[in-house]
Amino acid sequence: MFDALVPNVRSLGADELGIGVLAKAAASHASSAPDAPVVTTTHPRVREIARLASIYGGVILTGPPGTSKSFFAAAAAALLAGDKSRYSFVQFHASYQYEDFMIGYSPTLTGFEEKAGPFLNLVEAATRDPDHTYVLVIDELSRADVGRVFGEALTYVERSKRELPFLIANGREIKVPSNFIILATMNPFDRGVDEVDAAFERRFAKVSMEPDRLQLMSILSDSGLEEAMQHRIAGWFNKVNGLSKTNPAAAVGHAYFAGITDPPSLVDLWDYQLQYVVERAFRRDRNTGAEIETAWKRIFDDPTVGDDGAGTPASE
């Protein structure tokens, strides 16, 4: 089923995936802002996610904000499902419940009526159409109580228990078919991560999505910034993400830079996003935070800053 889709290679832009504005537009929330480069179905990361999904029935993309988790999940969903009618998106949040995800009741003028959620709708569609793959993309998986949201289905999304019938809350018997895939994203520093790990560690594959310098340079190459400034930005990026090895909250994803078009947009990026990331990460280490801020300012006025974030004569 999956192999049959491989020859149909096409480029997927952000608008085609239904996840945002074009890459040249202003960046939205960093965890889901589209990358400047186009992602194709032949992209190694997309194909790896699709391969793992076909083995495990689900893949969790985990990483700090701005690492293209949502974008790659959407691209993999498009590759696996082939048609937009066969994949859908849902975002978890603190108040998200079983009644939203599986089945609940909605008010009408005369009372209440039963309403199926995105999980039940897509599972039933996949059951009716066993020759095609159906994909549910869950953004921010760790923001909700996953045991409460999935309910009895949590057991049956496991690959070895697919096709086994079980009852949901209204007494209806359903099964999670083999052609139903879950792709999910999560921030490893969210409060609910331990619960997610306990629920899914033996059920789904997990792929780490980290800040990527190559992705950053690809984004910056289309930004209109002079080449020297692009390399100074990359130096700052290396510096702050190097510190994230001992302070994970300091990680800055490449997708933060997706909306950069000129120096004023870089100023906005710091003033309205990155300075708060740095302040939060180094609130107990003010000296390092100040060092990171100083290194950022050098992007604008110090042409001798090398890719390692340290002062290096331009001639060397």
Side-chain angles (χ1 to χ4, degrees), residues 53-75:
S54 67
I55 297 171
Y56 292 94
V59 178
I60 298 174
L61 308 183
T62 177
T67 50
S68 309
K69 299 183 296 295
S70 298
F71 195 62
F72 277 92

Side-chain angles (χ1 to χ4, degrees), residues 116-200:
F119 181 91
L120 183 58
N121 278 329
L122 207 61
V123 159
E124 292 187 330
T127 301
R128 293 190 299 268
D129 184 18
D131 294 330
H132 293 99
T133 299
Y134 286 72
V135 184
L136 179 63
V137 180
I138 303 173
D139 206 15
E140 308 287 4
L141 178 69
S142 51
R143 295 288 178 88
D145 181 337
V146 293
R148 183 183 295 272
V149 172
F150 275 81
E152 50 281 311
L154 187 60
T155 297
Y156 296 93
V157 295
E158 185 176 336
R159 199 62 163 173
S160 64
K161 294 181 172 61
R162 297 295 179 93
E163 307 292 345
L164 295 178
F166 64 98
L167 299 178
I168 58 176
N170 68 344
R172 185 189 309 180
E173 183 178 273
I174 69 167
K175 62 180 180 179
V176 180
S178 299
N179 59 324
F180 176 78
I181 298 292
I182 293 177
L183 301 178
T185 74
M186 73 176 196
N187 184 332
F189 311 115
D190 281 345
R191 289 180 302 171
V193 168
D194 288 343
E195 289 77 10
V196 170
D197 283 347
F200 290 106

Side-chain angles (χ1 to χ4, degrees), residues 93-316:
H93 50 79
S95 61
Y96 202 74
Q97 300 289 335
Y98 179 95
E99 292 79 9
D100 304 304
F101 189 59
M102 184 72 72
I103 192 163
Y105 291 88
S106 60
T108 67
L109 292 176
T110 58
F112 293 88
E113 65 179 9
E114 194 173 84
K115 181 179 180 181
F119 181 91
L120 183 58
N121 278 329
L122 207 61
V123 159
E124 292 187 330
T127 301
R128 293 190 299 268
D129 184 18
D131 294 330
H132 293 99
T133 299
Y134 286 72
V135 184
L136 179 63
V137 180
I138 303 173
D139 206 15
E140 308 287 4
L141 178 69
S142 51
R143 295 288 178 88
D145 181 337
V146 293
R148 183 183 295 272
V149 172
F150 275 81
E152 50 281 311
L154 187 60
T155 297
Y156 296 93
V157 295
E158 185 176 336
R159 199 62 163 173
S160 64
K161 294 181 172 61
R162 297 295 179 93
E163 307 292 345
L164 295 178
F166 64 98
L167 299 178
I168 58 176
N170 68 344
R172 185 189 309 180
E173 183 178 273
I174 69 167
K175 62 180 180 179
V176 180
S178 299
N179 59 324
F180 176 78
I181 298 292
I182 293 177
L183 301 178
T185 74
M186 73 176 196
N187 184 332
F189 311 115
D190 281 345
R191 289 180 302 171
V193 168
D194 288 343
E195 289 77 10
V196 170
D197 283 347
F200 290 106
E201 64 184 2
R202 68 180 178 83
R203 292 181 170 93
F204 292 170
K206 185 182 287 187
V207 174
S208 179
M209 303 286 288
E210 301 297 334
D212 188 330
R213 178 194 166 93
L214 292 179
Q215 287 275 3
L216 172 70
M217 295 309 297
S218 184
I219 290 169
L220 293 178
S221 69
D222 292 331
S223 67
L225 295 173
E226 61 176 5
E227 186 174 351
M229 179 170 277
Q230 292 180 31
H231 284 284
R232 295 198 294 273
I233 293 170
W236 183 88
F237 183 84
N238 285 355
K239 183 180 183 72
V240 71
N241 284 305
L243 292 169
S244 73
K245 295 176 182 178
T246 55
N247 181 359
V252 173
H254 46 271
Y256 274 102
F257 295 85
I260 299 303
T261 56
D262 52 26
S265 62
L266 268 180
V267 173
D268 285 344
L269 177 61
W270 176 266
D271 287 347
Y272 301 111
Q273 288 193 303
L274 292 184
Q275 73 162 320
Y276 300 106
V277 174
V278 171
E279 286 176 2
R280 182 174 63 252
F282 299 103
R283 61 182 179 272
R284 295 186 178 88
D285 185 0
R286 299 293 185 183
N287 289 336
T288 303
E291 181 183 338
I292 294 297
E293 182 175 0
T294 299
W296 176 269
K297 292 177 180 178
R298 290 199 189 106
I299 290 172
F300 299 90
D301 58 20
D302 188 352
T304 66
V305 174
D307 280 3
D308 60 356
T312 303
S315 60
E316 294 187 2

